[in-house]
Amino acid sequence: MMKVYLSGEIHTDWREQITQGAEDLDVTFSSPVTDHGASDDCGVAILGAEPNKYWHDHKGAMVNAIRTRKGIEDADVVVVRFGDKYKQWNAAFDAGYAAALGKSIIVLNPPEHQHALKEVHAAALAVAEEPQQVVEILRYVLTGNLPG
């Protein structure tokens, strides 16, 4: 069974497209918490309120890092999605962490981000523009079968 960690942008359904497209493959998926509010507030919800926004965010980042590190470390493949709407600094960090661990990385982003992500792309083994391309990469890796 291949373990795939789906990192990055949380505002579109790209994760669902990949997991649904790979239903017939021997793959398990994991990801960060994609409920934006829960992700932002997990630290203070669990460890107590913080009057300073910096410490509020810091607690959340530390708690989320437990899940993120575990997911990336356990993964065979890390897919990192950079979307259109927001700067995903966390996604870039995840890509760097995965690269440092020697993980196979697939980057998923629109073509207009090519220049901005050139260093991230250089660490990846594949750069896709559509979730279906990620599914086809996983299918090929697991079965040797090409699309069509």
Side-chain angles (χ1 to χ4, degrees), residues 17-88:
Q17 291 180 50
I18 291 172
T19 57
Q20 289 171 4
E23 284 178 336
D24 62 327
L25 298 176
D26 193 15
V27 179
T28 59
F29 294 97
S30 62
S31 70
V33 171
T34 58
D35 176 318
H36 203 162
S39 177
D40 285 350
D41 297 337
C42 65
V44 295
I46 298 166
L47 301 172
E50 289 292 340
N52 182 299
K53 182 66 170 145
Y54 173 83
W55 293 112
H56 175 114
D57 289 346
H58 190 68
K59 277 185 175 179
M62 291 188 303
V63 170
N64 282 317
I66 296 168
R67 180 183 177 104
T68 301
R69 288 180 186 179
K70 172 93 171 106
I72 292 172
E73 290 168 3
D74 289 351
D76 300 304
V77 175
V78 177
V79 178
V80 184
R81 163 76 175 161
F82 294 88
D84 294 329
K85 192 169 181 182
Y86 300 101
K87 306 277 190 255
Q88 287 95 45

